[in-house]
Amino acid sequence: MLAKRIIGALDIAGDRVVKGVNFENVKDSGDPIQLAKRYESEGIDELVFLDIRATREKRNIMNMLVERVASEIYIPFTVGGGLTDIETMVKIIRNGADRIFINTYAVEHPEIIGKISDRIGSANTVIAIDSGRHNGNYYVYTHGGTLNAGIDAISWAQKAESLGAGELLVTSINTDGTKKGFDTDLIRKITGSVNIPVIASGGAGSPEDFLGVFQAGADGALAASIFHEGKYTANEIKKYLKGNGVNVRL
């Protein structure tokens, strides 16, 4: 059995890390390089960088950040946010990122998934799904979680896999930033419908939350707030998980 992964999330605005609640009320959380190095020293398995305000100018900032991160840390990291053309994605990989992820553009142009996969490999192609619950159903949201695309999240996960995605990053808008636990129902439904790895995101507040989402089938669990605030380290969470029978890398 592959080890479960603890993943740190770094939302980037310009050249700073920021964090909000339910995708709103965004506040500065520090320097991305310093935080990345700290998380690595505390046992994080991987990092995800999301450019939440991607523009042509800030894309250049992100490319420089990717180079800096690649020269400073030794764990895998994934980059996304505002990516729309394959050459930019290839450049990010060449600059040192291990994977790229896309969300809105993939929903609007599903054929891009296969094209990306052909260029950089399926394993390096991650599709992010921001999902919100409405009347008991899960829908895909785009444009930073502001627009309900009217697409069933579980069906979209299956389609993304069929088109060439090698991994899914699933964020629950309802639980994002709340620290009240992952949406295990959402994760259970998606992991039960696809055969590629699924990273759960949104709501981590305690080691018990990680245990619950791994029991729901997630391959990786992503968190931001609890690591930013120093409430727990990845190593502390891993020790708890290990003591409860979860295979993790200590």
Side-chain angles (χ1 to χ4, degrees):
M1 179 192 294
L2 294 175
K4 301 294 188 180
R5 294 171 286 157
I6 305 296
I7 302 169
L10 297 170
D11 291 350
I12 305 297
D15 60 354
R16 299 291 292 178
V17 176
V18 297
K19 187 65 185 116
V21 176
N22 301 128
F23 287 29
E24 299 178 347
N25 302 317
V26 173
K27 298 180 180 179
D28 187 284
S29 293
D31 176 75
I33 302 299
Q34 292 180 358
L35 282 173
K37 292 174 72 173
R38 192 189 96 197
Y39 292 168
E40 181 179 37
S41 71
E42 294 173 348
I44 284 284
D45 295 307
E46 298 179 15
L47 290 169
V48 169
F49 292 86
L50 169 61
D51 186 348
I52 67 169
R53 296 172 186 164
T55 65
R56 186 178 300 275
E57 293 78 14
K58 290 176 181 175
R59 176 62 59 212
N60 292 329
I61 293 174
M62 179 57 77
N63 278 323
M64 290 187 288
L65 176 61
V66 168
E67 291 180 326
R68 289 176 60 206
V69 171
S71 68
E72 294 278 355
I73 69 172
Y74 300 95
I75 56 176
F77 68 98
T78 303
V79 175
L83 295 175
T84 60
D85 70 277
I86 296 175
E87 293 309 316
T88 298
M89 301 175 202
V90 170
K91 184 175 181 180
I92 286 174
I93 295 294
R94 287 176 177 167
N95 284 347
D98 296 89
R99 304 182 188 92
I100 61 89
F101 71 87
I102 58 174
N103 183 343
T104 297
Y105 198 74
V107 174
E108 296 176 341
H109 306 275
E111 70 281 356
I112 195 70
I113 299 174
K115 294 177 181 178
I116 297 168
S117 180
D118 287 344
R119 284 293 302 275
I120 66 175
S122 176
N124 303 323
T125 305
V126 180
I127 297 303
I129 301 175
D130 293 338
S131 177
R133 189 199 297 258
H134 182 67
N135 292 332
N137 297 313
Y138 289 104
Y139 293 96
V140 174
Y141 279 69
T142 59
H143 298 83
T146 62
L147 180 64
N148 185 341
I151 299 171
D152 177 75
I154 289 77
S155 296
W156 173 236
Q158 294 173 318
K159 183 174 181 178
E161 177 184 22
S162 71
L163 291 172
E167 187 166 75
L168 302 175
L169 170 56
V170 181
T171 301
S172 168
I173 295 173
N174 302 96
T175 61
D176 177 68
T178 65
K179 292 178 282 188
K180 295 180 180 179
F182 295 95
D183 190 333
T184 54
D185 180 57
L186 170 63
I187 297 303
R188 188 174 291 107
K189 287 180 177 178
I190 289 185
T191 58
S193 65
V194 300
N195 296 305
I196 55 177
V198 175
I199 299 170
S201 171
S206 69
E208 291 81 3
D209 294 336
F210 285 84
L211 177 61
V213 83
F214 286 136
Q215 290 174 336
D219 299 273
L222 179 148
S225 299
I226 62 171
F227 297 137
H228 289 346
E229 298 165 1
K231 185 176 181 180
Y232 296 99
T233 67
N235 280 330
E236 289 170 342
I237 293 169
K238 287 181 176 181
K239 289 177 182 177
Y240 172 82
L241 293 170
K242 192 77 171 180
N244 284 274
V246 178
N247 180 26
V248 291
R249 290 188 288 267
L250 294 176

